[in-house]
Amino acid sequence: MHSTTISIFLHAIRIRFKLFKKKALARGSEIGLIACAALVGVASGCVVSGMSWISKALHHLIFGISDGEWLSAASIDNQLLVFAAPIAGGVMMGIVFLLLRKRRNRPIVDPIEANALYGGRISLTDSIIVAVQNLVSNGFGASVGLEAGYTQLSSGIASKLGGKLNFRREDLRILVGCGAAGAIAAAFNAPLTGAFYAFELIIGTYSTVALAPVVVAAIFATFVARAMSGDTFLIEVGEIGAVAPHDFLPAILLGALCAMIGIAIMKGVTFTEQLARKSSIPPALRPALGGIVVGLLAMITPQVLSAGHGALHLNLDTQNSLIALAMIFLLKATASAVSIGSGFRGGLFFASLFMGALLGKIFAFPVDSIMSGSLTPTVYAVVGMSSLAVALIGGPLTMTFLALEITGDFPITALVLAATISSSVVVRTTFGYSFATWRFHLRGESIRSAHDIGWIRNLTVDKLMRPDVKKANANLSLQQFRETFPLGSTQRAILVDDDDRYVGIVLVAEVYGAEVTVQEATLEKFIRYRNEFLQPRMNAKQAAAIFDKTRSDALAVVNNLIERRVVGLLSEAHTLRRYSEELDRRRREAVGEAI
């Protein structure tokens, strides 16, 4: 009897466990999403540690530096090697370009674009290609960081996992954000920074549904990276005492200054790319030519090489003159713009931190002479570092938490927050883009952030229109039209010519309500919207704008501008209703309400 009771009890436990497992892994389950986020965090930590190790190994192998030495802070006696390495990297990037051009013609989608337009879908193969290109670029000394490769590969793994588990659109977008959060958290040993990087830059919004998985991914990635590499990114600012109210003014001014310089850097990258495109230089040769420029700059100072980790610490720990700091900044900005503009693969995340720190120390010179008892140059370096990163990358809270986590100093956080808000406001009001979204704009994409606008593209006119339209020949007499369309049979008729080309729309009520003479017994005076119509591939937002412009209740849909063959009719009321329904649906998905 006792054994039977135990068996029944164990059987009940197994049934409950199976039900719990089924519910946890069900599509749309928050528990299942958190579990997947933990796996993505582990994968992100491995990605960051692995890529970091490969990069350092390449630096050691190519430049001959010691294992514990950073490339940008190393003393390299062989100047020919410093000059030739970026060129060799450019040649390799050119070869990769030629190989990819034959096999993969589509553009590579990054996490921001994937979440904004494609519901979080990223090709893992493309992500691996980006990571390899980033390693080649960084490993041979091009002035780019590895953060682009970290986030791309980690997000690609997350997207692949979510796709295999058939995640719904909103959950897949969150999981991609988890991959990016894990990558940044592991790279800087800063889980809060990683989490808010995902919220501000990848997911595009903060929600309670996304909070748990994103934070879990960031924490797991940080633990894995610590266990595998043990590297930490910390800045010692020393004792700064209490932050006085008058200290906020120079911090806000520094933020605005970094915003303007950040815009100049973004335009410099664009100018380099446009110059390369307008020239007759084949795309496969451009990275090698960019490598020549980077190599020449590196012969002046190796601080322009790679991301700049060592150079950042070197300049924070030493007291350089104003001229020396300005020269390093100009050389690094030029090297970064040329590297990216010529075709090397990488990002400006760490480069923006390094250049921002230089700007902060430069800014400290005039402030120290004007304001007695001002903050130390290192504090201004941290403020400038965060401010320029906001201008180029975006995410004021992300960079504020980064300053907090890498310094461990709370008083600085308030200064950094004020400066990053200042930088963000100046960039938004005068320029409107971060580095990533600016490049999307140049490609013709309407992306200002990672907010999901891809569903709008799927809500197209051909999915909303009515194909059963009332058509009539434009040459009908008024009497013939009235016989064909009795009053009350339809609200409007679409007129076409003898070749079935769109002519315009006639409102049936107007035809019956007008008093006309025999000489006016044609439809000519009743034809509306002769050149106002919709096309099938327009989205609901574009259609709504055309309705508003033409002040029409309904418009014809024609197949294209050449044939002008009528394929349907769409009303403004139906368009706005469906658009509002989808907006409400996305809002409820974002906050986790049942749909």
Side-chain angles (χ1 to χ4, degrees), residues 142-144 261 264-265 268-269 271-272 290-291 293-298 300 304-305 326-342 344 348 351 355:
S143 192
V144 294
I261 293 176
I265 292 173
V269 173
F271 173 78
T272 305
V293 176
V294 174
L296 290 172
L297 297 176
I300 301 174
V304 304
L305 294 173
M327 184 189 72
I328 295 170
F329 174 82
L330 291 174
L331 292 175
K332 180 64 178 179
T334 303
S336 296
V338 169
S339 295
I340 296 176
S342 62
F344 283 102
L348 289 177
M355 290 187 287

PDB file of all heavy atoms in Angstrom, residues 142-144 261 264-265 268-269 271-272 290-291 293-298 300 304-305 326-342 344 348 351 355:
ATOM      1  N   ALA A 142      43.662  47.989 -38.502  1.00  0.00           N
ATOM      2  CA  ALA A 142      42.729  49.039 -38.939  1.00  0.00           C
ATOM      3  C   ALA A 142      42.075  49.675 -37.717  1.00  0.00           C
ATOM      4  O   ALA A 142      41.830  49.014 -36.701  1.00  0.00           O
ATOM      5  CB  ALA A 142      41.672  48.466 -39.874  1.00  0.00           C
ATOM      6  N   SER A 143      41.754  50.956 -37.819  1.00  0.00           N
ATOM      7  CA  SER A 143      41.286  51.723 -36.660  1.00  0.00           C
ATOM      8  C   SER A 143      39.801  51.498 -36.393  1.00  0.00           C
ATOM      9  O   SER A 143      38.975  52.409 -36.471  1.00  0.00           O
ATOM     10  CB  SER A 143      41.561  53.210 -36.892  1.00  0.00           C
ATOM     11  OG  SER A 143      41.368  53.940 -35.700  1.00  0.00           O
ATOM     12  N   VAL A 144      39.457  50.257 -36.076  1.00  0.00           N
ATOM     13  CA  VAL A 144      38.075  49.878 -35.782  1.00  0.00           C
ATOM     14  C   VAL A 144      38.064  48.961 -34.565  1.00  0.00           C
ATOM     15  O   VAL A 144      39.053  48.287 -34.265  1.00  0.00           O
ATOM     16  CB  VAL A 144      37.405  49.154 -36.974  1.00  0.00           C
ATOM     17  CG1 VAL A 144      37.250  50.088 -38.159  1.00  0.00           C
ATOM     18  CG2 VAL A 144      38.190  47.908 -37.366  1.00  0.00           C
ATOM     19  N   ILE A 261      31.229  67.564 -32.711  1.00  0.00           N
ATOM     20  CA  ILE A 261      32.386  66.849 -33.261  1.00  0.00           C
ATOM     21  C   ILE A 261      31.961  65.460 -33.743  1.00  0.00           C
ATOM     22  O   ILE A 261      32.453  64.971 -34.765  1.00  0.00           O
ATOM     23  CB  ILE A 261      33.505  66.760 -32.206  1.00  0.00           C
ATOM     24  CG1 ILE A 261      34.056  68.159 -31.931  1.00  0.00           C
ATOM     25  CG2 ILE A 261      34.618  65.823 -32.661  1.00  0.00           C
ATOM     26  CD1 ILE A 261      35.097  68.223 -30.856  1.00  0.00           C
ATOM     27  N   ALA A 264      30.538  65.806 -37.102  1.00  0.00           N
ATOM     28  CA  ALA A 264      31.617  66.009 -38.074  1.00  0.00           C
ATOM     29  C   ALA A 264      32.301  64.686 -38.420  1.00  0.00           C
ATOM     30  O   ALA A 264      32.650  64.443 -39.591  1.00  0.00           O
ATOM     31  CB  ALA A 264      32.632  67.006 -37.520  1.00  0.00           C
ATOM     32  N   ILE A 265      32.496  63.819 -37.422  1.00  0.00           N
ATOM     33  CA  ILE A 265      33.121  62.516 -37.689  1.00  0.00           C
ATOM     34  C   ILE A 265      32.232  61.666 -38.581  1.00  0.00           C
ATOM     35  O   ILE A 265      32.700  61.018 -39.534  1.00  0.00           O
ATOM     36  CB  ILE A 265      33.415  61.794 -36.361  1.00  0.00           C
ATOM     37  CG1 ILE A 265      34.508  62.538 -35.586  1.00  0.00           C
ATOM     38  CG2 ILE A 265      33.842  60.343 -36.616  1.00  0.00           C
ATOM     39  CD1 ILE A 265      34.743  61.995 -34.193  1.00  0.00           C
ATOM     40  N   GLY A 268      32.473  62.873 -41.927  1.00  0.00           N
ATOM     41  CA  GLY A 268      33.790  62.542 -42.472  1.00  0.00           C
ATOM     42  C   GLY A 268      33.839  61.128 -43.023  1.00  0.00           C
ATOM     43  O   GLY A 268      34.424  60.878 -44.086  1.00  0.00           O
ATOM     44  N   VAL A 269      33.206  60.187 -42.304  1.00  0.00           N
ATOM     45  CA  VAL A 269      33.128  58.805 -42.803  1.00  0.00           C
ATOM     46  C   VAL A 269      32.343  58.767 -44.110  1.00  0.00           C
ATOM     47  O   VAL A 269      32.736  58.112 -45.083  1.00  0.00           O
ATOM     48  CB  VAL A 269      32.468  57.893 -41.749  1.00  0.00           C
ATOM     49  CG1 VAL A 269      32.234  56.499 -42.320  1.00  0.00           C
ATOM     50  CG2 VAL A 269      33.333  57.808 -40.497  1.00  0.00           C
ATOM     51  N   PHE A 271      31.920  61.227 -46.231  1.00  0.00           N
ATOM     52  CA  PHE A 271      32.713  61.868 -47.285  1.00  0.00           C
ATOM     53  C   PHE A 271      33.743  60.901 -47.850  1.00  0.00           C
ATOM     54  O   PHE A 271      33.953  60.831 -49.069  1.00  0.00           O
ATOM     55  CB  PHE A 271      33.411  63.110 -46.724  1.00  0.00           C
ATOM     56  CG  PHE A 271      34.377  63.746 -47.677  1.00  0.00           C
ATOM     57  CD1 PHE A 271      33.913  64.544 -48.718  1.00  0.00           C
ATOM     58  CD2 PHE A 271      35.747  63.544 -47.536  1.00  0.00           C
ATOM     59  CE1 PHE A 271      34.809  65.132 -49.613  1.00  0.00           C
ATOM     60  CE2 PHE A 271      36.643  64.128 -48.419  1.00  0.00           C
ATOM     61  CZ  PHE A 271      36.172  64.928 -49.458  1.00  0.00           C
ATOM     62  N   THR A 272      34.378  60.129 -46.965  1.00  0.00           N
ATOM     63  CA  THR A 272      35.371  59.148 -47.428  1.00  0.00           C
ATOM     64  C   THR A 272      34.721  58.098 -48.313  1.00  0.00           C
ATOM     65  O   THR A 272      35.272  57.731 -49.368  1.00  0.00           O
ATOM     66  CB  THR A 272      36.045  58.471 -46.221  1.00  0.00           C
ATOM     67  OG1 THR A 272      36.590  59.465 -45.357  1.00  0.00           O
ATOM     68  CG2 THR A 272      37.159  57.533 -46.678  1.00  0.00           C
ATOM     69  N   GLY A 290      43.063  52.378 -48.164  1.00  0.00           N
ATOM     70  CA  GLY A 290      42.805  52.852 -46.813  1.00  0.00           C
ATOM     71  C   GLY A 290      43.866  52.377 -45.840  1.00  0.00           C
ATOM     72  O   GLY A 290      44.262  53.118 -44.928  1.00  0.00           O
ATOM     73  N   GLY A 291      44.355  51.151 -46.038  1.00  0.00           N
ATOM     74  CA  GLY A 291      45.429  50.636 -45.202  1.00  0.00           C
ATOM     75  C   GLY A 291      46.707  51.443 -45.331  1.00  0.00           C
ATOM     76  O   GLY A 291      47.456  51.596 -44.364  1.00  0.00           O
ATOM     77  N   VAL A 293      46.863  54.703 -45.846  1.00  0.00           N
ATOM     78  CA  VAL A 293      46.664  55.901 -45.026  1.00  0.00           C
ATOM     79  C   VAL A 293      46.803  55.568 -43.545  1.00  0.00           C
ATOM     80  O   VAL A 293      47.492  56.277 -42.794  1.00  0.00           O
ATOM     81  CB  VAL A 293      45.287  56.522 -45.315  1.00  0.00           C
ATOM     82  CG1 VAL A 293      45.042  57.718 -44.398  1.00  0.00           C
ATOM     83  CG2 VAL A 293      45.190  56.934 -46.773  1.00  0.00           C
ATOM     84  N   VAL A 294      46.162  54.485 -43.104  1.00  0.00           N
ATOM     85  CA  VAL A 294      46.256  54.090 -41.692  1.00  0.00           C
ATOM     86  C   VAL A 294      47.698  53.766 -41.322  1.00  0.00           C
ATOM     87  O   VAL A 294      48.170  54.138 -40.236  1.00  0.00           O
ATOM     88  CB  VAL A 294      45.331  52.894 -41.412  1.00  0.00           C
ATOM     89  CG1 VAL A 294      45.529  52.376 -39.980  1.00  0.00           C
ATOM     90  CG2 VAL A 294      43.868  53.267 -41.619  1.00  0.00           C
ATOM     91  N   GLY A 295      48.415  53.078 -42.210  1.00  0.00           N
ATOM     92  CA  GLY A 295      49.811  52.750 -41.943  1.00  0.00           C
ATOM     93  C   GLY A 295      50.675  53.990 -41.790  1.00  0.00           C
ATOM     94  O   GLY A 295      51.540  54.057 -40.898  1.00  0.00           O
ATOM     95  N   LEU A 296      50.453  54.994 -42.646  1.00  0.00           N
ATOM     96  CA  LEU A 296      51.224  56.238 -42.539  1.00  0.00           C
ATOM     97  C   LEU A 296      50.916  56.958 -41.224  1.00  0.00           C
ATOM     98  O   LEU A 296      51.831  57.489 -40.567  1.00  0.00           O
ATOM     99  CB  LEU A 296      50.899  57.149 -43.724  1.00  0.00           C
ATOM    100  CG  LEU A 296      51.418  56.686 -45.096  1.00  0.00           C
ATOM    101  CD1 LEU A 296      50.857  57.576 -46.201  1.00  0.00           C
ATOM    102  CD2 LEU A 296      52.944  56.684 -45.122  1.00  0.00           C
ATOM    103  N   LEU A 297      49.657  56.967 -40.837  1.00  0.00           N
ATOM    104  CA  LEU A 297      49.295  57.600 -39.566  1.00  0.00           C
ATOM    105  C   LEU A 297      49.877  56.826 -38.383  1.00  0.00           C
ATOM    106  O   LEU A 297      50.295  57.426 -37.381  1.00  0.00           O
ATOM    107  CB  LEU A 297      47.765  57.681 -39.439  1.00  0.00           C
ATOM    108  CG  LEU A 297      47.040  58.547 -40.473  1.00  0.00           C
ATOM    109  CD1 LEU A 297      45.533  58.446 -40.280  1.00  0.00           C
ATOM    110  CD2 LEU A 297      47.484  59.991 -40.375  1.00  0.00           C
ATOM    111  N   ALA A 298      49.898  55.490 -38.491  1.00  0.00           N
ATOM    112  CA  ALA A 298      50.447  54.671 -37.408  1.00  0.00           C
ATOM    113  C   ALA A 298      51.944  54.867 -37.248  1.00  0.00           C
ATOM    114  O   ALA A 298      52.480  54.665 -36.145  1.00  0.00           O
ATOM    115  CB  ALA A 298      50.140  53.199 -37.663  1.00  0.00           C
ATOM    116  N   ILE A 300      53.327  57.685 -37.340  1.00  0.00           N
ATOM    117  CA  ILE A 300      53.440  58.866 -36.482  1.00  0.00           C
ATOM    118  C   ILE A 300      53.199  58.479 -35.033  1.00  0.00           C
ATOM    119  O   ILE A 300      53.937  58.856 -34.131  1.00  0.00           O
ATOM    120  CB  ILE A 300      52.436  59.950 -36.931  1.00  0.00           C
ATOM    121  CG1 ILE A 300      52.697  60.346 -38.382  1.00  0.00           C
ATOM    122  CG2 ILE A 300      52.509  61.165 -36.012  1.00  0.00           C
ATOM    123  CD1 ILE A 300      51.665  61.303 -38.950  1.00  0.00           C
ATOM    124  N   VAL A 304      46.760  55.068 -33.127  1.00  0.00           N
ATOM    125  CA  VAL A 304      45.642  55.032 -34.070  1.00  0.00           C
ATOM    126  C   VAL A 304      45.281  53.606 -34.452  1.00  0.00           C
ATOM    127  O   VAL A 304      44.233  53.371 -35.068  1.00  0.00           O
ATOM    128  CB  VAL A 304      45.969  55.831 -35.352  1.00  0.00           C
ATOM    129  CG1 VAL A 304      46.354  57.260 -35.004  1.00  0.00           C
ATOM    130  CG2 VAL A 304      47.067  55.179 -36.174  1.00  0.00           C
ATOM    131  N   LEU A 305      46.122  52.640 -34.114  1.00  0.00           N
ATOM    132  CA  LEU A 305      45.873  51.266 -34.519  1.00  0.00           C
ATOM    133  C   LEU A 305      44.785  50.613 -33.681  1.00  0.00           C
ATOM    134  O   LEU A 305      44.618  50.910 -32.496  1.00  0.00           O
ATOM    135  CB  LEU A 305      47.166  50.447 -34.406  1.00  0.00           C
ATOM    136  CG  LEU A 305      48.306  50.814 -35.358  1.00  0.00           C
ATOM    137  CD1 LEU A 305      49.568  50.047 -35.010  1.00  0.00           C
ATOM    138  CD2 LEU A 305      47.908  50.560 -36.815  1.00  0.00           C
ATOM    139  N   ALA A 326      45.547  66.998 -28.930  1.00  0.00           N
ATOM    140  CA  ALA A 326      44.819  67.389 -30.141  1.00  0.00           C
ATOM    141  C   ALA A 326      45.332  66.617 -31.350  1.00  0.00           C
ATOM    142  O   ALA A 326      44.550  66.196 -32.213  1.00  0.00           O
ATOM    143  CB  ALA A 326      44.950  68.888 -30.361  1.00  0.00           C
ATOM    144  N   MET A 327      46.644  66.415 -31.422  1.00  0.00           N
ATOM    145  CA  MET A 327      47.212  65.689 -32.555  1.00  0.00           C
ATOM    146  C   MET A 327      46.763  64.231 -32.547  1.00  0.00           C
ATOM    147  O   MET A 327      46.370  63.682 -33.594  1.00  0.00           O
ATOM    148  CB  MET A 327      48.741  65.749 -32.508  1.00  0.00           C
ATOM    149  CG  MET A 327      49.412  65.092 -33.717  1.00  0.00           C
ATOM    150  SD  MET A 327      51.195  64.928 -33.550  1.00  0.00           S
ATOM    151  CE  MET A 327      51.302  63.613 -32.328  1.00  0.00           C
ATOM    152  N   ILE A 328      46.783  63.598 -31.372  1.00  0.00           N
ATOM    153  CA  ILE A 328      46.335  62.199 -31.287  1.00  0.00           C
ATOM    154  C   ILE A 328      44.875  62.092 -31.678  1.00  0.00           C
ATOM    155  O   ILE A 328      44.469  61.163 -32.387  1.00  0.00           O
ATOM    156  CB  ILE A 328      46.567  61.655 -29.864  1.00  0.00           C
ATOM    157  CG1 ILE A 328      48.063  61.589 -29.549  1.00  0.00           C
ATOM    158  CG2 ILE A 328      45.952  60.263 -29.723  1.00  0.00           C
ATOM    159  CD1 ILE A 328      48.373  61.283 -28.095  1.00  0.00           C
ATOM    160  N   PHE A 329      44.048  63.058 -31.221  1.00  0.00           N
ATOM    161  CA  PHE A 329      42.633  63.023 -31.562  1.00  0.00           C
ATOM    162  C   PHE A 329      42.425  63.131 -33.071  1.00  0.00           C
ATOM    163  O   PHE A 329      41.655  62.354 -33.659  1.00  0.00           O
ATOM    164  CB  PHE A 329      41.894  64.165 -30.865  1.00  0.00           C
ATOM    165  CG  PHE A 329      40.453  64.281 -31.289  1.00  0.00           C
ATOM    166  CD1 PHE A 329      39.482  63.474 -30.728  1.00  0.00           C
ATOM    167  CD2 PHE A 329      40.076  65.187 -32.278  1.00  0.00           C
ATOM    168  CE1 PHE A 329      38.164  63.552 -31.134  1.00  0.00           C
ATOM    169  CE2 PHE A 329      38.756  65.276 -32.690  1.00  0.00           C
ATOM    170  CZ  PHE A 329      37.795  64.468 -32.115  1.00  0.00           C
ATOM    171  N   LEU A 330      43.089  64.067 -33.707  1.00  0.00           N
ATOM    172  CA  LEU A 330      42.921  64.249 -35.150  1.00  0.00           C
ATOM    173  C   LEU A 330      43.399  63.026 -35.923  1.00  0.00           C
ATOM    174  O   LEU A 330      42.757  62.601 -36.895  1.00  0.00           O
ATOM    175  CB  LEU A 330      43.677  65.496 -35.609  1.00  0.00           C
ATOM    176  CG  LEU A 330      43.100  66.833 -35.139  1.00  0.00           C
ATOM    177  CD1 LEU A 330      44.025  67.984 -35.533  1.00  0.00           C
ATOM    178  CD2 LEU A 330      41.707  67.043 -35.712  1.00  0.00           C
ATOM    179  N   LEU A 331      44.506  62.444 -35.488  1.00  0.00           N
ATOM    180  CA  LEU A 331      45.023  61.257 -36.170  1.00  0.00           C
ATOM    181  C   LEU A 331      44.075  60.077 -36.005  1.00  0.00           C
ATOM    182  O   LEU A 331      43.810  59.334 -36.968  1.00  0.00           O
ATOM    183  CB  LEU A 331      46.412  60.901 -35.625  1.00  0.00           C
ATOM    184  CG  LEU A 331      47.542  61.885 -35.947  1.00  0.00           C
ATOM    185  CD1 LEU A 331      48.822  61.466 -35.246  1.00  0.00           C
ATOM    186  CD2 LEU A 331      47.768  61.980 -37.452  1.00  0.00           C
ATOM    187  N   LYS A 332      43.536  59.895 -34.790  1.00  0.00           N
ATOM    188  CA  LYS A 332      42.618  58.777 -34.545  1.00  0.00           C
ATOM    189  C   LYS A 332      41.318  58.975 -35.309  1.00  0.00           C
ATOM    190  O   LYS A 332      40.780  58.018 -35.908  1.00  0.00           O
ATOM    191  CB  LYS A 332      42.326  58.658 -33.041  1.00  0.00           C
ATOM    192  CG  LYS A 332      41.374  57.515 -32.680  1.00  0.00           C
ATOM    193  CD  LYS A 332      41.955  56.152 -33.013  1.00  0.00           C
ATOM    194  CE  LYS A 332      41.030  55.031 -32.596  1.00  0.00           C
ATOM    195  NZ  LYS A 332      41.558  53.695 -32.939  1.00  0.00           N
ATOM    196  N   ALA A 333      40.786  60.197 -35.311  1.00  0.00           N
ATOM    197  CA  ALA A 333      39.544  60.464 -36.045  1.00  0.00           C
ATOM    198  C   ALA A 333      39.734  60.214 -37.535  1.00  0.00           C
ATOM    199  O   ALA A 333      38.865  59.615 -38.196  1.00  0.00           O
ATOM    200  CB  ALA A 333      39.090  61.905 -35.802  1.00  0.00           C
ATOM    201  N   THR A 334      40.861  60.643 -38.074  1.00  0.00           N
ATOM    202  CA  THR A 334      41.139  60.420 -39.500  1.00  0.00           C
ATOM    203  C   THR A 334      41.297  58.945 -39.800  1.00  0.00           C
ATOM    204  O   THR A 334      40.747  58.431 -40.785  1.00  0.00           O
ATOM    205  CB  THR A 334      42.420  61.177 -39.913  1.00  0.00           C
ATOM    206  OG1 THR A 334      42.273  62.563 -39.611  1.00  0.00           O
ATOM    207  CG2 THR A 334      42.687  61.010 -41.401  1.00  0.00           C
ATOM    208  N   ALA A 335      42.034  58.245 -38.945  1.00  0.00           N
ATOM    209  CA  ALA A 335      42.262  56.813 -39.172  1.00  0.00           C
ATOM    210  C   ALA A 335      40.945  56.030 -39.101  1.00  0.00           C
ATOM    211  O   ALA A 335      40.714  55.123 -39.913  1.00  0.00           O
ATOM    212  CB  ALA A 335      43.242  56.279 -38.130  1.00  0.00           C
ATOM    213  N   SER A 336      40.067  56.385 -38.171  1.00  0.00           N
ATOM    214  CA  SER A 336      38.783  55.691 -38.048  1.00  0.00           C
ATOM    215  C   SER A 336      37.898  55.958 -39.259  1.00  0.00           C
ATOM    216  O   SER A 336      37.277  55.038 -39.809  1.00  0.00           O
ATOM    217  CB  SER A 336      38.059  56.129 -36.767  1.00  0.00           C
ATOM    218  OG  SER A 336      38.790  55.753 -35.617  1.00  0.00           O
ATOM    219  N   ALA A 337      37.834  57.224 -39.677  1.00  0.00           N
ATOM    220  CA  ALA A 337      37.009  57.572 -40.835  1.00  0.00           C
ATOM    221  C   ALA A 337      37.509  56.883 -42.094  1.00  0.00           C
ATOM    222  O   ALA A 337      36.727  56.352 -42.891  1.00  0.00           O
ATOM    223  CB  ALA A 337      36.987  59.088 -41.022  1.00  0.00           C
ATOM    224  N   VAL A 338      38.815  56.863 -42.280  1.00  0.00           N
ATOM    225  CA  VAL A 338      39.393  56.231 -43.469  1.00  0.00           C
ATOM    226  C   VAL A 338      39.201  54.711 -43.424  1.00  0.00           C
ATOM    227  O   VAL A 338      38.878  54.088 -44.439  1.00  0.00           O
ATOM    228  CB  VAL A 338      40.888  56.592 -43.598  1.00  0.00           C
ATOM    229  CG1 VAL A 338      41.564  55.736 -44.665  1.00  0.00           C
ATOM    230  CG2 VAL A 338      41.053  58.066 -43.925  1.00  0.00           C
ATOM    231  N   SER A 339      39.374  54.128 -42.250  1.00  0.00           N
ATOM    232  CA  SER A 339      39.239  52.674 -42.128  1.00  0.00           C
ATOM    233  C   SER A 339      37.831  52.229 -42.521  1.00  0.00           C
ATOM    234  O   SER A 339      37.659  51.323 -43.345  1.00  0.00           O
ATOM    235  CB  SER A 339      39.544  52.227 -40.692  1.00  0.00           C
ATOM    236  OG  SER A 339      40.893  52.470 -40.360  1.00  0.00           O
ATOM    237  N   ILE A 340      36.829  52.854 -41.947  1.00  0.00           N
ATOM    238  CA  ILE A 340      35.453  52.457 -42.241  1.00  0.00           C
ATOM    239  C   ILE A 340      35.045  52.886 -43.641  1.00  0.00           C
ATOM    240  O   ILE A 340      34.409  52.129 -44.385  1.00  0.00           O
ATOM    241  CB  ILE A 340      34.494  53.043 -41.187  1.00  0.00           C
ATOM    242  CG1 ILE A 340      34.811  52.442 -39.818  1.00  0.00           C
ATOM    243  CG2 ILE A 340      33.039  52.764 -41.556  1.00  0.00           C
ATOM    244  CD1 ILE A 340      34.001  53.017 -38.693  1.00  0.00           C
ATOM    245  N   GLY A 341      35.435  54.095 -44.029  1.00  0.00           N
ATOM    246  CA  GLY A 341      35.051  54.595 -45.338  1.00  0.00           C
ATOM    247  C   GLY A 341      35.675  53.842 -46.495  1.00  0.00           C
ATOM    248  O   GLY A 341      35.088  53.769 -47.585  1.00  0.00           O
ATOM    249  N   SER A 342      36.841  53.251 -46.275  1.00  0.00           N
ATOM    250  CA  SER A 342      37.524  52.537 -47.361  1.00  0.00           C
ATOM    251  C   SER A 342      37.105  51.074 -47.471  1.00  0.00           C
ATOM    252  O   SER A 342      37.470  50.407 -48.443  1.00  0.00           O
ATOM    253  CB  SER A 342      39.046  52.616 -47.170  1.00  0.00           C
ATOM    254  OG  SER A 342      39.428  51.983 -45.960  1.00  0.00           O
ATOM    255  N   PHE A 344      37.024  48.675 -44.539  1.00  0.00           N
ATOM    256  CA  PHE A 344      37.300  47.789 -43.414  1.00  0.00           C
ATOM    257  C   PHE A 344      36.009  47.602 -42.621  1.00  0.00           C
ATOM    258  O   PHE A 344      35.155  48.485 -42.578  1.00  0.00           O
ATOM    259  CB  PHE A 344      38.385  48.371 -42.509  1.00  0.00           C
ATOM    260  CG  PHE A 344      39.781  48.236 -43.058  1.00  0.00           C
ATOM    261  CD1 PHE A 344      40.424  49.314 -43.642  1.00  0.00           C
ATOM    262  CD2 PHE A 344      40.442  47.021 -42.996  1.00  0.00           C
ATOM    263  CE1 PHE A 344      41.700  49.192 -44.146  1.00  0.00           C
ATOM    264  CE2 PHE A 344      41.730  46.886 -43.497  1.00  0.00           C
ATOM    265  CZ  PHE A 344      42.365  47.979 -44.078  1.00  0.00           C
ATOM    266  N   LEU A 348      32.536  52.058 -34.433  1.00  0.00           N
ATOM    267  CA  LEU A 348      33.160  53.206 -33.787  1.00  0.00           C
ATOM    268  C   LEU A 348      32.879  53.246 -32.286  1.00  0.00           C
ATOM    269  O   LEU A 348      33.082  54.278 -31.665  1.00  0.00           O
ATOM    270  CB  LEU A 348      32.644  54.502 -34.418  1.00  0.00           C
ATOM    271  CG  LEU A 348      33.113  54.811 -35.836  1.00  0.00           C
ATOM    272  CD1 LEU A 348      32.463  56.088 -36.346  1.00  0.00           C
ATOM    273  CD2 LEU A 348      34.628  54.949 -35.886  1.00  0.00           C
ATOM    274  N   ALA A 351      36.278  53.363 -30.407  1.00  0.00           N
ATOM    275  CA  ALA A 351      36.972  54.538 -30.936  1.00  0.00           C
ATOM    276  C   ALA A 351      36.319  55.812 -30.417  1.00  0.00           C
ATOM    277  O   ALA A 351      37.003  56.802 -30.113  1.00  0.00           O
ATOM    278  CB  ALA A 351      36.966  54.507 -32.456  1.00  0.00           C
ATOM    279  N   MET A 355      38.318  58.652 -28.366  1.00  0.00           N
ATOM    280  CA  MET A 355      38.363  60.040 -28.842  1.00  0.00           C
ATOM    281  C   MET A 355      37.634  60.969 -27.881  1.00  0.00           C
ATOM    282  O   MET A 355      38.039  62.113 -27.674  1.00  0.00           O
ATOM    283  CB  MET A 355      37.762  60.130 -30.241  1.00  0.00           C
ATOM    284  CG  MET A 355      38.611  59.484 -31.324  1.00  0.00           C
ATOM    285  SD  MET A 355      37.994  59.761 -33.002  1.00  0.00           S
ATOM    286  CE  MET A 355      36.555  58.683 -32.996  1.00  0.00           C
TER     287      MET A 355
END
